[in-house]
Amino acid sequence: MSVKVKICGLSRPEDVAAVAGAGAAYAGFVFFARSPRNLTLDDARALALEAPVGLAKVALTVDADDMLLDRITEAVPLDMLQLHGSESPGRVAEIKARYGLPVMKAVGVAGQEDLTALAGYEEVADQILVDAKPLKGAALPGGNGLAFDWRLIAGRKWARPWMLAGGLTPGNVAEAVRLTGARQVDVSSGVERAPGVKDAGLIRAFVEAARCG
């Protein structure tokens, strides 16, 4: 079975073209003011309209209220919402019902104790994004280039489709796939040449390496 790749934090038309050309399955757009990858609604709409049919467009938000989500979903043609904050399972269910879009919930993992949160979200989210838990005081909830101990989830049985994230690069993604059994992977900073600036060569290398896992 082929590994699906999500490239998150796209900010330029050439990024969308590189992601599509490399054969990735998902393109991620960030709506979080503190991120170097944050987009305006107009820029996000323009990028989403560049995406070819078959490339799923994902909006990443962090503890967004309904007003912001209304604005995003009204302005940008999307295929999925990614919730990357401290949203409760109840909030995930509310958002899924309100917008009628598939919802992916990110869960940060640093140790065994963090895995207990996964079960509650598997009951309400369409997909789970298993990410490295940010360090205390970190400005960003993701995209920090951090990995967690992948052995924590090796052999785990999942109730929903899931995606592995956190510190992945073209150099380690194949190992991560082999160790965890992930059939989907997500990357942002690992394919950048500067914060928020994607590198087409690294994107191609990442997608190729993921498929060799």
Side-chain angles (χ1 to χ4, degrees), residues 9-11 29-40 43 60:
L10 308 185
S11 60
F29 306 122
V30 174
F31 300 91
F32 184 56
R34 294 205 300 270
S35 172
R37 307 165 188 96
N38 184 53
L39 294 173
T40 66
D43 286 345
L60 184 157

Side-chain angles (χ1 to χ4, degrees), residues 73-92:
T73 54
E74 289 168 4
V76 185
L78 296 169
D79 299 295
M80 181 176 289
L81 295 172
Q82 177 180 331
L83 310 181
H84 217 103
S86 57
E87 300 90 355
S88 67
R91 177 60 175 155
V92 173

